[in-house]
Amino acid sequence: MTDTTGFQPEDRIRLDWIVIGVVVVLCAGIFLYLLAGRQYALRDSASGFDGLEYWLNNQSHTAQSFTGGWPLDRSSVGLLIQPIYDTNPGSDRDVAQTKEDLLLQTDEFDQDVAVIREKAQSVPSLIILPKWRSGMRLTGFGHPFLIAPRADVQALLHQLAGMDVGQVFHAHTPFSEYALTSDPDESLLARIYAAQVFEGRGCVPILGRPGAMVLGLCPLPSEGEQDQVYVLSDPDLLNNHGLSLGDNAWIAAQLLPDIAGEGRIVIDYSDQNWLTESEQVIERERTWEDLKRLFQPPFLILWIGSGILLILAIWRGGIRNGPVHDPQPMLGTGKRTANRVRARLMRLTDQDGALLTDFIDTRLRAHATATFGTAHKIAGRPEVAYLNFVRARHPDLAQQLEELIDTIRALPAHLSAADAIPYVDQFELILEQLADDA
């Protein structure tokens, strides 16, 4: 006999959903990590200047990195250091198609000469010319093959300081040393690998000499408050790669604070001019750019994480079927469970005959309850009151039902399912006829 009262499968945590959830979370974590890491990869690399910031602060000087996003009070800036990572400012950077193209890229991100010059006109500035291709940052090795084209760097210098400043060229010796001319009493020597120098005509040499200058104070041809700008032709004097060579770190600790005076030293990586007057900072009106910054790093990471969590919640809630399981036990749950256990045991021991007797008792009790109500008390066997009720209304069907009940009760306990099913069909057919005639 088919077990209509068997166990219902319990709710189980599906392993495939756990695996999918773990994979989604891992992919989201990797994506967020890469998204956040791109902002700091350049600054932390060999060609970045985070080491300079840490070193100056360690020497009790005020220095900070700035990537844009909020106004800078220019009256508080003593020296604005502008590293240039674009050999062709004003033109869009080409997207690398191969690994070789990526290593040989000369532009890390797009910058604009007009913006660089505008900043230099506003506050004392140190402009650092580019020297290395992207391969320097990606590999961490300084090889002559990875040096940016001299003609591009020279063209950039001419756009900033004018054509009269002269040419850019590289030293022929692997390592070159240059004395700090501002303090002849101290023998501080800058040591630079494959030094990139410029002639510096019209410039005051700070590091190096006329005709082979590494750092000089050059005239700024554009009109503005500042008519001079410091030009550093080789970034290896101050970047993370070069601070460990020679006396480079001590030159930075002595020279840069002298230039900055009482103001802050700001290493500006931004591609826009955020310098403002103090009054402008107070009276500045809100724009859509302010709201846009809420969706930029590091807030962008929070938005993406919240979006992924919302999608997972909607997705998981959408595939759930059925109502929420009520953990509180319902009335009759224990009795039903006991009946299911008993039926299961009887099925496993091939006692379909005994199970059939329990089945008709349960069905008759259910029909008696439906007929007389739950408050009605049935004395003796359950079919007595119900059969009396049926006999008064349908004598023929009542006689068939009584004969069938007696036959089922007389069946042996060990009965096959195939032999028990016909009795169940006859019993259910009579009950259906009684229900239709009611």
Side-chain angles (χ1 to χ4, degrees):
M1 183 177 75
T2 303
D3 184 14
T4 60
T5 60
F7 287 132
Q8 297 294 328
E10 298 292 339
D11 293 337
R12 299 176 181 176
I13 299 177
R14 294 184 57 180
L15 181 60
D16 53 350
W17 292 120
I18 295 178
V19 174
I20 293 175
V22 171
V23 172
V24 170
V25 171
L26 287 177
C27 292
I30 294 174
F31 173 75
L32 295 178
Y33 173 78
L34 294 176
L35 185 64
R38 290 175 59 185
Q39 183 180 5
Y40 306 103
L42 180 61
R43 292 163 47 184
D44 293 335
S45 67
S47 56
F49 293 88
D50 271 1
L52 176 63
E53 176 191 357
Y54 300 147
W55 169 247
L56 292 175
N57 287 322
N58 181 263
Q59 296 299 309
S60 302
H61 303 300
T62 304
Q64 70 176 87
S65 294
F66 180 72
T67 57
W70 64 89
L72 272 179
D73 182 4
R74 71 186 189 96
S75 63
S76 66
V77 178
L79 177 63
L80 188 70
I81 300 177
Q82 299 189 61
I84 302 178
Y85 292 97
D86 190 353
T87 58
N88 294 286
S91 60
D92 295 336
R93 183 171 64 103
D94 295 331
V95 179
Q97 302 297 326
T98 63
K99 292 182 179 180
E100 182 178 358
D101 293 341
L102 182 60
L103 293 175
L104 296 180
Q105 271 188 332
T106 57
D107 305 335
E108 293 285 3
F109 61 91
D110 292 328
Q111 295 176 273
D112 194 335
V113 172
V115 174
I116 298 171
R117 189 185 298 114
E118 185 180 353
K119 295 178 185 178
Q121 294 172 358
S122 180
V123 295
S125 298
L126 168 61
I127 296 177
I128 303 177
L129 299 179
K131 177 181 177 181
W132 298 102
R133 299 175 186 266
S134 298
M136 165 64 170
R137 172 180 61 84
L138 297 173
T139 64
F141 294 102
H143 191 278
F145 183 70
L146 297 177
I147 293 179
R150 182 189 64 85
D152 292 345
V153 178
Q154 180 174 294
L156 174 60
L157 176 62
H158 290 167
Q159 293 182 63
L160 294 171
M163 298 290 294
D164 296 336
V165 75
Q167 297 183 356
V168 173
F169 57 94
H170 296 91
H172 299 291
T173 56
F175 286 94
S176 303
E177 294 184 345
Y178 299 90
L180 183 62
T181 60
S182 61
D183 193 350
D185 296 335
E186 294 188 17
S187 56
L188 293 179
L189 294 178
R191 185 176 175 84
I192 301 176
Y193 171 72
Q196 178 177 270
V197 297
F198 66 107
E199 291 181 330
R201 293 196 296 265
C203 301
V204 178
I206 306 298
L207 192 66
R209 57 178 177 80
M213 197 177 302
V214 177
L215 174 62
L217 181 59
C218 300
L220 192 61
S222 303
E223 296 181 358
E225 293 187 20
Q226 303 293 327
D227 57 359
Q228 289 182 313
V229 62
Y230 290 90
V231 176
L232 177 61
S233 61
D234 197 314
D236 289 346
L237 174 67
L238 301 177
N239 62 17
N240 300 333
H241 161 68
L243 281 179
S244 61
L245 300 178
D247 299 325
N248 296 1
W250 295 108
I251 292 175
Q254 175 181 317
L255 179 62
L256 298 181
D258 288 344
I259 299 175
E262 298 296 331
R264 293 179 296 166
I265 300 174
V266 179
I267 305 173
D268 186 6
Y269 294 92
S270 65
D271 56 356
Q272 300 180 38
N273 183 11
W274 297 93
L275 296 170
T276 58
E277 299 289 350
S278 57
E279 294 81 5
Q280 292 177 328
V281 175
I282 297 174
E283 298 176 359
R284 187 177 65 87
E285 296 182 358
R286 295 293 182 181
T287 64
W288 287 108
E289 292 296 326
D290 298 317
L291 181 62
K292 183 179 178 182
R293 283 189 219 104
L294 295 177
F295 299 92
Q296 295 176 349
F299 303 108
L300 179 61
I301 299 175
L302 300 177
W303 285 111
I304 294 177
S306 301
I308 293 175
L309 182 61
L310 177 62
I311 293 174
L312 287 176
I314 296 176
W315 175 44
R316 190 67 186 95
I319 64 174
R320 182 180 61 79
N321 55 348
V324 178
H325 176 66
D326 186 3
Q328 299 296 328
M330 301 299 293
L331 182 63
T333 300
K335 186 175 181 180
R336 287 196 295 269
T337 302
N339 290 336
R340 291 171 181 171
V341 172
R342 182 181 177 187
R344 183 64 175 169
L345 292 175
M346 296 175 74
R347 288 285 292 113
L348 293 175
T349 55
D350 293 329
Q351 298 186 45
D352 286 333
L355 180 61
L356 188 58
T357 300
D358 287 349
F359 172 75
I360 64 172
D361 288 344
T362 301
R363 294 288 286 149
L364 290 173
R365 187 176 291 106
H367 276 268
T369 300
T371 302
F372 306 115
T374 57
H376 179 75
K377 294 183 179 180
I378 301 176
R381 292 186 302 177
E383 71 270 13
V384 174
Y386 182 69
L387 289 177
N388 290 335
F389 173 79
V390 173
R391 193 181 297 111
R393 288 166 173 75
H394 306 285
D396 297 337
L397 293 177
Q399 182 178 359
Q400 297 180 25
L401 183 60
E402 289 180 301
E403 293 176 355
L404 180 59
I405 291 174
D406 294 336
T407 302
I408 292 176
R409 292 188 185 280
L411 293 175
H414 294 280
L415 185 69
S416 64
D419 295 332
I421 286 177
Y423 295 101
V424 175
D425 292 340
Q426 295 178 30
F427 183 76
E428 291 294 339
L429 179 60
I430 295 174
L431 294 182
E432 290 179 5
Q433 292 176 355
L434 291 174
D436 294 338
D437 295 338

